[in-house]
Amino acid sequence: MDLFDQIAKQYYQKYVPLAERVRPQCLENFFGQENIFEAGSPVGMIVRGEGIANLIFWGPPGTGKTTLARLLARHLNSHFEQISAVHSGKKELQEIEKQSRERIRFYNRGTVLFIDEIHRFNKAQQDGLLDAVESGVYTLMGATTENPSFELNSALLSRCRVVILDLLSEKAVEKIVLRALEDKERGLGKTNIQISDKALKELIRIANGDARSALNILELSAMASAERYKTLPPSDSRTIEPVDLSHGLDKRSILYDKTGEEHYNLISAFIKSVRGSDPQAAVYYLARMLEGGEDPVFIARRLCILASEDIGNADPQAAILAASISQTVQMIGLPEARIPLSQLALYLSLAPKSNASYLAISQAQQEVAKSGAIGVPKKILNAPTDLMKELEYGNDYHYAHDYEDGFYPEFLLPEAIESMKFYHPTEYGFEKHMKQRLEELEKRRKKTLSGKRHRDNRSRKKM
């Protein structure tokens, strides 16, 4: 090693973050994600030399997407080219394609092009990858935290295999942390620093399955521990304690992106918990969204929809309460808005459920699309002009309040669909009473209709 190499190594140890320094150099040190190496999987086939594929790694931050791409490129004995979709453009892609062709021609060596945050490429940029990917000029490996089916166009996605990386298990994070502590060449091994069991357990909890986060916290906590030991008697070793972790992270990082995949995952889990009458789950997912910075107005708006779609007339007060609390949330804002949101989520969770109103309007819209603009019965048309009166608009109309119980038993749908039913009340909550009322009114209508048909038949016979 010459002087320049020594200088570079010293700089690397001093200034390059621990998470980058201890990045695994072989698959044996890649902890977690065991399922993606199974036989027959895209990654498993590459590792076993059974084939090669263009891959899209989809998963949360710190789950090994970049590291895995580098390791697979090394396994394939290919040149590794890494770019970020945030900073790269068409010109850089063209140059990479040119160099990749030359590498094949002159050195018989392939290229793995790794594009970090590939979802940031627009449609034109994604289309620009197709020719090189299809012809095998390079093997494409992309990383994204967003759902590829939403963010990548179908042409590119059809040429790639999606590999899903999950949050790392606690055991995997523990292995990664302990390896960093023991590694004397790239990690903290030379510092002779340890970590207490209590601090290790807390660090793993805080990291929440994110290896990069775990190593960043470890590095900052080690620095904090060094400062703390300066006030203590000299010692040959140091131990990271829970008190040091507070310097590594001020507040637990919550995995959440208000415009990304986790946004949709959590709002879906929240709504399904309320719909499923599980108040414990509902308030938990509400807390997750609020801690992640979700807009409380958005949450209130979704609950207003749910109050009618999933509860409706089973508890008519639900929609009223939702509208009221939605206004309250807009008026007071966070942090206080969390309280009425919690109240509403819990109320709606325990309310009786009915989607009959939702089904009624959906079925009615389907019928309109199917049968078109059927003429409205003349008897319920307004007749503000003499001409309309001559055309018998409003004739034979019965003003409901002129009759007992404020009801006149007649059918007001167009005759072509007179017998159709769109609203089917359930037996739950207040809707049970509505169902009884509807059945009573329908009996009276049918009786009137039956009598009308009987009179019409008698009139025809006389004629």
Side-chain angles (χ1 to χ4, degrees), residues 270 283 286 290 296 299-300 303 321-348:
F270 174 62
V283 78
L286 173 61
L290 291 174
I299 299 173
L303 288 175
L321 181 64
S324 175
I325 285 184
S326 180
Q327 290 182 335
T328 301
V329 166
Q330 295 182 57
M331 181 172 62
I332 66 177
L334 289 173
E336 289 81 2
R338 75 190 194 282
I339 303 168
L341 280 175
S342 175
Q343 175 194 352
L344 179 59
L346 295 172
Y347 182 92
L348 298 184

Side-chain angles (χ1 to χ4, degrees), residues 162-349:
V162 175
V163 178
I164 300 175
L165 280 71
D166 299 317
L167 288 169
L168 295 174
S169 67
E170 292 186 354
K171 192 66 178 176
V173 174
E174 180 180 354
K175 287 182 179 180
I176 291 168
V177 170
L178 294 179
R179 177 175 170 270
L181 285 169
E182 296 166 359
D183 190 333
K184 293 184 178 181
E185 182 179 354
R186 295 184 175 86
L188 302 174
K190 287 185 178 181
T191 64
N192 200 27
I193 192 170
Q194 307 296 320
I195 186 168
S196 70
D197 290 342
K198 192 172 181 180
L200 177 60
K201 186 175 181 179
E202 179 65 9
L203 188 155
I204 293 170
R205 183 188 71 83
I206 292 171
N208 194 32
D210 183 333
R212 187 185 301 109
S213 177
L215 292 170
N216 288 341
I217 297 168
L218 176 65
E219 186 171 26
L220 293 171
S221 300
M223 295 178 185
S225 176
E227 289 298 316
R228 182 168 57 82
Y229 269 85
K230 287 180 181 179
T231 64
L232 301 174
S235 174
D236 293 334
S237 63
R238 304 195 313 273
T239 301
I240 297 173
E241 299 291 351
V243 66
D244 301 312
L245 296 179
S246 62
H247 297 276
L249 190 70
D250 292 332
K251 183 179 180 182
R252 180 175 182 177
S253 175
I254 302 297
L255 175 64
Y256 194 73
D257 179 351
K258 289 190 286 183
T259 61
E261 177 71 12
E262 196 67 5
H263 161 83
Y264 296 104
N265 288 343
L266 285 181
I267 193 62
S268 174
F270 174 62
I271 293 300
K272 288 173 181 173
S273 297
V274 177
R275 181 185 296 137
S277 300
D278 188 339
Q280 317 302 344
V283 78
Y284 168 75
Y285 291 118
L286 173 61
R288 284 278 300 274
M289 289 189 291
L290 291 174
E291 284 297 304
E294 182 58 86
D295 181 3
V297 175
F298 166 75
I299 299 173
R301 187 165 62 244
R302 289 301 302 267
L303 288 175
C304 284
I305 297 169
L306 181 143
S308 289
E309 180 178 348
D310 295 297
I311 297 172
N313 290 322
D315 182 356
Q317 291 297 319
I320 297 171
L321 181 64
S324 175
I325 285 184
S326 180
Q327 290 182 335
T328 301
V329 166
Q330 295 182 57
M331 181 172 62
I332 66 177
L334 289 173
E336 289 81 2
R338 75 190 194 282
I339 303 168
L341 280 175
S342 175
Q343 175 194 352
L344 179 59
L346 295 172
Y347 182 92
L348 298 184
S349 295

Side-chain angles (χ1 to χ4, degrees), residues 413-424:
L413 275 172
E415 189 174 351
I417 56 171
E418 190 175 62
S419 62
M420 291 203 68
K421 296 179 182 179
F422 302 110
Y423 180 45
H424 301 274

Side-chain angles (χ1 to χ4, degrees), residues 65-66 82-86 114-120 141-144:
K65 298 184 291 293
T66 303
Q82 179 175 347
I83 62 173
S84 171
V86 177
F114 176 72
I115 305 178
D116 196 17
E117 298 188 88
I118 192 170
H119 61 275
R120 297 291 190 92
M141 294 188 186
T144 178

Side-chain angles (χ1 to χ4, degrees), residues 15-16 19 55 75 130 191 202 211 227 239 299 351 360 385 397 438:
Y15 295 107
V16 175
L55 304 176
H75 189 84
L130 296 178
T191 64
E202 179 65 9
E227 289 298 316
T239 301
I299 299 173
T385 69
Y397 170 63
L438 179 59

